[in-house]
């Protein structure tokens, strides 16, 4: 089996961190972990969009490539979704 692509590794790392935080919700307050979850969720979504932009191939994980992959209308949808999640986490 081939080694995972660097983009795939970034997606899997973000997934592990998000899942770890969700699993530890009972031990922590929502406020303690919500910012970290949102940060990793952003990273997770950006790298999925980068993978789509690269047609499943491995490309350099650079700010420039992420900007090319994340189009303005998609950013607006993501921000709306993030705001929705933040509202859930805060309330």
């Amino acid at each position: 089996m081939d080694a995972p692509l660097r983009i795939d590794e970034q997606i899997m790392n973000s997934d592990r961190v998000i899942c770890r935080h969700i699993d530890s919700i009972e031990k922590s307050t929502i406020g303690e972990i919500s910012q970290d979850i949102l940060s990793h969720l952003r990273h997770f979504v950006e790298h999925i969009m980068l993978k789509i932009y690269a047609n499943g191939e491995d490309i350099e994980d650079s700010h420039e490539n992420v900007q090319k992959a994340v189009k303005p209308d998609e950013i607006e949808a993501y921000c709306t979704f993030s705001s929705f999640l933040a509202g859930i986490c805060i309330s």
Side-chain angles (χ1 to χ4, degrees):
M1 188 167 145
D2 294 334
L5 302 175
R6 288 176 291 176
I7 295 172
D8 292 342
E9 289 175 1
Q10 292 295 324
I11 291 168
M12 290 183 285
N13 287 340
S14 291
D15 177 62
R16 279 191 287 275
V17 171
I18 292 167
C19 289
R20 186 184 73 232
H21 282 308
I22 290 171
D23 289 343
S24 70
I25 278 180
E26 293 176 359
K27 300 173 202 146
S28 305
T29 65
I30 295 291
E32 291 175 331
I33 60 174
S34 62
Q35 280 300 116
D36 200 36
I37 288 175
L38 287 174
S39 172
H40 283 281
L41 182 59
R42 176 179 181 226
H43 190 261
F44 181 79
V45 170
E46 285 177 347
H47 281 81
I48 289 173
M49 294 173 83
L50 186 59
K51 185 172 180 77
I52 292 167
Y53 173 75
N55 292 318
E57 299 296 320
D58 205 13
I59 62 172
E60 182 181 358
D61 181 11
S62 67
H63 181 70
E64 292 80 22
N65 281 339
V66 170
Q67 283 184 319
K68 291 176 189 174
V70 180
K71 296 174 181 59
D73 56 332
E74 293 163 344
I75 292 172
E76 183 178 334
Y78 170 75
C79 289
T80 301
F81 180 68
S82 294
S83 297
F84 170 74
L85 285 179
I88 291 173
C89 292
I90 293 171
S91 57

